[in-house]
Amino acid sequence: MFTNWNEYRSTLLASIGKFAKLQPEFMKGFQQMDKGTLEKGHLDEKTQELISLAVAVTTRCDGCLAVHVDAAVKHGATREEIAEALSVAIKMNTGAALTYTARALDVYDNLPNK
């Protein structure tokens, strides 16, 4: 195991709780944003958590992983569904790298002194 994720999640949430005491209005806004994603109800909570995991992988956020894997499982996500969602994230990162490869070659092609 890389990390004790349960301990990490608990420590992270405790630290965020300390921040919340310093910035209560900000945290109210953050919590309202979180609540707002569920108001329309077009995506269920499991789907939202799977999207959150894909973003967590692409942004390399360990705290996001610790929180959103737990939440995804609580909303019924299986290991296979999580793996599939993360496969999409990997694919998107690969596509982004390919796009930026084309941009890098465009920079090269436009160098005045080559």
Side-chain angles (χ1 to χ4, degrees), residues 20 49 59:
E49 291 302 334
T59 59

Side-chain angles (χ1 to χ4, degrees), residues 4-65:
N4 182 332
W5 294 102
N6 296 319
E7 183 179 306
Y8 178 79
R9 183 174 44 260
S10 294
T11 302
L12 175 66
L13 294 176
S15 293
I16 291 171
K18 290 176 186 176
F19 175 75
K21 288 179 182 173
L22 294 169
Q23 293 292 314
E25 289 304 310
F26 172 82
M27 289 305 292
K28 284 180 191 174
F30 182 83
Q31 290 166 339
Q32 183 61 38
M33 183 176 53
D34 189 50
K35 180 183 169 197
T37 61
L38 296 173
E39 285 183 0
K40 292 285 183 191
H42 298 290
L43 297 175
D44 64 20
E45 290 177 278
K46 179 173 84 170
T47 302
Q48 289 190 17
E49 291 302 334
L50 292 171
I51 293 169
S52 296
L53 285 173
V55 172
V57 166
T58 61
T59 59
R60 297 172 185 89
C61 178
D62 282 345
C64 299
L65 291 177

Side-chain angles (χ1 to χ4, degrees), residues 2 17 35 41-42 61 64 70 78 86 88-89 92 98 100 103:
F2 294 107
K35 180 183 169 197
H42 298 290
C61 178
C64 299
D70 183 57
T78 64
L86 298 180
V88 173
M92 292 304 296
L98 182 58
Y100 271 79
R103 292 174 68 86

